[in-house]
Amino acid sequence: MHARRTSIAAALALGLFTFPVLAADLQPSELLKQAEAEQPAYLETLKTLVAVDTGTGQQQGLARVSEMLVERLEALGAEVTATPATPSAGDNIVGTLKGSGTANFLLMVHYDTVFAEGTAAKRPFRTDEKRAYGPGVADAKGGVAMILHAIKLLQAQQFDGFGTLTVLFNPDEEMGSAGSKKIIAELARKHDYVFSYEPPDKDAVTVATNGINAVMLEVKGKSSHAGSAPEEGRNAVMELAHQLVQLKDLGDPDKGTTVNWTMIKGGEKRNIIPASAAAEADMRYS
Ligand SMILES: [Zn+2]
């Protein structure tokens, strides 16, 4: 049972879900052939998605793509809900398919991008022999299309050997998932396998990625005129510099964590002892 589940999991991850009976019976070469035959339809979906700007917060574009995704999931026979991802713009879209098996799968990815309004018009979708180009094509609309077509292939084989197959599309990943964190955690808890369809930068299935965080350091001092009474001031910039030297080794290479101080700010005028200073660090953890 476990081996079979793992095969299903691997097939889902690769978007190669095309078997008539059991995953274990499938010849990988046959599976690959079917997925390759699906490629033109996949690219057509990708083109449609990339043609609409959905930068995080761009309400209009997010709403248009949300509408498309709801429609596509319903066409696949899913029961679909779209709930506003407050405080973010756009909807969390959840599609549910029920099968006759026992293992529960969650397939998720975001449909917002990092691109400004107008990028899709300026830099429209195109392909060459090897790659597709356009705003958000890899991050992560390629994954959105992959989910839709993986399920389509699955259904073409009339496969329903899962308990629940849930799809989640969220609209705010690029700004920290403020309006989708909760539903991601809730849904993840209810499923045996969770697949993020964020396309990796090579042909691979990734089992773990780094988390990202920010470290903020603020120093409060006391201002004073640098010419007439410097001794009455408390120099926040000097203290910040001192702190940064002390805190430069917060990362731990053995645990794979890094902390790099990347921005500092302090002082208002050259002749005033600065009363405040601040620094920000980029933090990554496994
Ligand atoms: Zn992404």
Side-chain angles (χ1 to χ4, degrees):
M1 193 58 205
H2 183 71
R4 188 187 151 203
R5 278 198 198 174
T6 307
S7 301
I8 296 171
L12 270 173
L14 295 166
L16 295 175
F17 212 131
T18 60
F19 42 93
V21 202
L22 295 180
D25 298 338
L26 258 191
Q27 290 304 311
S29 57
E30 182 53 31
L31 217 116
L32 182 61
K33 226 188 280 166
Q34 296 189 24
E36 279 170 354
E38 185 67 15
Q39 201 184 55
Y42 167 85
L43 288 174
E44 200 49 48
T45 300
L46 187 54
K47 183 181 176 181
T48 310
L49 293 170
V50 169
V52 184
D53 284 312
T54 54
T56 322
Q58 291 169 22
Q59 181 69 54
Q60 231 184 343
L62 288 166
R64 263 183 70 198
V65 169
S66 169
E67 213 173 287
M68 282 180 210
L69 295 178
V70 168
E71 219 170 84
R72 294 289 291 261
L73 286 170
E74 281 174 348
L76 289 166
E79 197 169 295
V80 187
T81 60
T83 318
T86 319
S88 307
D91 298 324
N92 288 317
I93 303 159
V94 179
T96 311
L97 290 155
K98 292 285 181 194
S100 61
T102 50
N104 301 318
F105 297 87
L106 174 62
L107 319 183
M108 55 173 277
V109 75
H110 64 96
Y111 62 98
D112 59 318
T113 72
V114 296
F115 298 100
E117 198 96 55
T119 311
K122 246 184 273 165
R123 202 157 59 74
F125 179 85
R126 68 184 173 89
T127 53
D128 58 25
E129 319 78 67
K130 270 192 137 173
R131 290 174 195 279
Y133 304 84
V137 79
D139 186 12
K141 288 177 173 171
V144 174
M146 183 70 84
I147 289 178
L148 294 173
H149 286 271
I151 295 175
K152 185 183 155 201
L153 289 177
L154 220 171
Q155 294 189 334
Q157 301 302 314
Q158 299 180 321
F159 177 80
D160 71 344
F162 47 85
T164 302
L165 188 60
T166 306
V167 175
L168 169 63
F169 295 128
N170 66 313
D172 58 349
E173 191 266 357
E174 298 294 1
M175 296 291 270
S177 307
S180 56
K181 248 180 216 164
K182 203 168 150 245
I183 192 166
I184 291 170
E186 278 169 12
L187 287 175
R189 243 176 254 125
K190 291 181 192 162
H191 292 77
D192 303 304
Y193 298 93
V194 178
F195 293 95
S196 166
Y197 275 68
E198 187 92 29
D201 49 15
K202 53 184 177 219
D203 286 337
V205 176
T206 303
V207 292
T209 65
N210 273 358
I212 179 169
N213 217 326
V215 184
M216 314 285 192
L217 177 61
E218 277 172 36
V219 177
K220 225 170 129 188
K222 187 169 171 254
S223 67
S224 186
H225 198 281
S228 59
E231 69 285 354
E232 283 176 27
R234 297 292 178 268
N235 192 326
V237 166
M238 290 299 291
E239 177 60 16
L240 179 71
H242 183 70
Q243 290 289 341
L244 291 183
V245 172
Q246 311 301 311
L247 297 173
K248 71 177 170 45
D249 297 321
L250 282 177
D252 183 343
D254 289 341
K255 288 187 188 158
T257 57
T258 58
V259 176
N260 285 291
W261 295 99
T262 48
M263 297 205 294
I264 58 170
K265 207 170 80 187
E268 302 283 318
K269 283 186 182 146
R270 202 176 66 209
N271 63 349
I272 303 292
I273 303 291
S276 69
E280 290 184 36
D282 174 275
M283 174 183 165
R284 308 285 166 128
Y285 55 94
S286 271

